[in-house]
Amino acid sequence: MNWPALLGTSWSVTLAVTIIFMGGCAIMTGRALADSWRPAWLVVPYVLLLGLANRFLIFALFNGALLSLSGFVVHTAILLAMALASYRATRARRMVTQYPWLFVRAGPFGWRRRP
């Protein structure tokens, strides 16, 4: 399989820009939405904007393909997974710390009622 054609750039640029830099932005986005008690569906429009910014940075800094639909979809899916994981982990932490008499932690992404 021709990965650079699918991603619109090389693996190293994908790792540096998408996963490290924009992934940090996606994690902060998920955390901010969960801390402000916003619904989880709001992660999607914010991540779509991050995906557009990601494509532009890859194009402007590393001469990647700007209009690579497959690259946009793959990179945005990575960012969406990171943002949703951050949202869920932050929401679980927030529920347990804000309502300790009602809930206990049930793994990194969940909570359950206190017995």
Side-chain angles (χ1 to χ4, degrees):
M1 179 170 254
N2 190 359
W3 289 105
L6 177 69
L7 297 175
T9 188
S10 67
W11 276 104
S12 59
V13 173
T14 298
L15 177 69
V17 176
T18 302
I19 296 175
I20 295 174
F21 179 66
M22 294 304 283
C25 296
I27 288 170
M28 289 189 289
T29 300
R31 188 178 302 154
L33 289 172
D35 276 338
S36 60
W37 296 98
R38 304 274 192 239
W41 67 266
L42 276 178
V43 171
V44 175
Y46 286 114
V47 169
L48 288 175
L49 292 173
L50 285 176
L52 291 173
N54 182 45
R55 276 307 334 148
F56 179 73
L57 285 177
I58 288 172
F59 167 72
L61 298 177
F62 300 101
N63 200 23
L66 178 64
L67 300 176
S68 171
L69 180 63
S70 62
F72 173 75
V73 169
V74 170
H75 289 164
T76 305
I78 292 169
L79 295 175
L80 183 63
M82 294 174 82
L84 286 173
S86 171
Y87 178 90
R88 186 66 182 180
T90 304
R91 179 60 59 96
R93 177 188 50 81
R94 184 82 173 206
M95 290 294 286
V96 171
T97 57
Q98 188 149 349
Y99 305 108
W101 64 92
L102 287 176
F103 301 111
V104 294
R105 197 73 184 241
F109 299 112
W111 62 91
R112 60 181 169 81
R113 286 205 171 270
R114 187 173 288 280

